[in-house]
Amino acid sequence: MEGRLRSLFLVICTMVIVPVSYGAETEVPDLDTLQNIESVIQPEVPRTQFDESKIDVNDIELIPSFGLLAIEDFGTNLILNVKLQYHVSEDYFVGVEFGRSEAGKTSYELLSGGAPLLNDDQRILQYYLFSLGWNVLPGEAFATDNVTYNTALYLTTSIGSVDFAGDSHFGFTLGAGYRILISNFSSLYLEFRDHTFNMEVLGENKLTHNLELSLGYSFYF
């Protein structure tokens, strides 16, 4: 019996003394040692070489569009126009444009039944404008959970010449639009504008407001 107790005592002592001795002999590395080890192991990150001058920025934009133009006193008619724009920065762009529409008959012509006030050539309205635009609210539109389009709400102001009723007039235009970037080379436009110019057709010279609503599709290059 005494032998068994002695053996049990030796086993317990061995279980206690051996871990303590092992822990005492194990050295814990200090902070300097760890930093030296980390400095030796460096990740290998491959770097891509490229020429920045070859990046295609696509700052120029060609925008054909069509819509409706409400010519004051001459009804609402189809309008076609084309714009060429240059994006100076992410916020501002400048451009030139040409638009063409054909005016209808005035209410006076329809009711009086008399001679028309304008001939066919004089009813052609054309404008040549220089414009400045500002992207006020850039954002995103989510078509699906996986499809997102860049968008922008923008304001424009334009000045130029308006040819109508056999005369050229100075024109001033204010507008607002919404643009959706469909791809890297195209955008979809919805635009509303007010073309103002002085006109004298019905016997008085007055400032007219001519409202335009148009839809356009652009190409970048």
Side-chain angles (χ1 to χ4, degrees):
M1 182 69 178
E2 183 178 354
R4 292 182 179 179
L5 292 175
R6 187 181 295 110
S7 299
L8 180 61
F9 177 77
L10 290 174
V11 171
I12 294 174
C13 290
T14 302
M15 295 176 63
V16 173
I17 293 173
V18 171
V20 172
S21 300
Y22 178 77
E25 295 176 357
T26 304
E27 295 183 0
V28 179
D30 56 10
L31 181 60
D32 294 336
T33 303
L34 292 176
Q35 290 178 346
N36 291 332
I37 295 175
E38 291 179 356
S39 63
V40 173
I41 303 175
Q42 296 292 338
E44 295 183 1
V45 180
R47 300 184 180 276
T48 302
Q49 301 295 329
F50 64 92
D51 185 357
E52 293 183 0
S53 63
K54 295 182 178 180
I55 297 177
D56 187 7
V57 292
N58 294 331
D59 288 331
I60 301 177
E61 190 176 14
L62 180 65
I63 313 170
S65 63
F66 71 96
L68 297 174
L69 176 65
I71 305 174
E72 188 170 328
D73 296 327
F74 287 88
T76 301
N77 308 276
L78 177 67
I79 184 170
L80 301 175
N81 57 41
V82 61
K83 305 183 184 115
L84 185 64
Q85 293 184 164
Y86 175 70
H87 292 263
V88 181
S89 66
E90 293 183 358
D91 296 325
Y92 298 99
F93 56 90
V94 295
V96 292
E97 66 173 292
F98 168 77
R100 179 184 174 93
S101 181
E102 183 175 356
K105 292 184 178 181
T106 65
S107 57
Y108 170 79
E109 291 175 299
L110 294 174
L111 295 175
S112 66
L117 297 175
L118 303 175
N119 58 40
D120 292 341
D121 293 336
Q122 292 174 331
R123 291 185 187 275
I124 301 299
L125 184 148
Q126 297 182 157
Y127 58 70
Y128 310 85
L129 303 176
F130 173 79
S131 61
L132 172 65
W134 174 33
N135 294 317
V136 181
L137 294 175
E140 295 180 334
F142 297 89
T144 65
D145 293 339
N146 299 321
V147 179
T148 305
Y149 297 105
N150 291 329
T151 64
L153 179 66
Y154 62 90
L155 301 176
T156 61
T157 179
S158 308
I159 58 173
S161 175
V162 180
D163 296 337
F164 183 61
D167 199 359
S168 293
H169 315 271
F170 173 78
F172 178 74
T173 301
L174 289 175
Y178 186 71
R179 177 178 66 246
I180 301 177
L181 184 64
I182 302 299
S183 66
N184 292 332
F185 56 86
S186 63
S187 290
L188 183 65
Y189 280 82
L190 179 64
E191 196 169 63
F192 177 78
R193 298 189 294 176
D194 180 16
H195 302 276
T196 59
F197 59 91
N198 286 319
M199 180 172 57
E200 183 178 0
V201 175
L202 300 177
E204 61 174 331
N205 191 338
K206 67 175 182 177
L207 180 66
T208 62
H209 292 268
N210 308 276
L211 304 181
E212 176 188 342
L213 178 64
S214 60
L215 182 67
Y217 193 84
S218 74
F219 303 91
Y220 295 94
F221 58 94

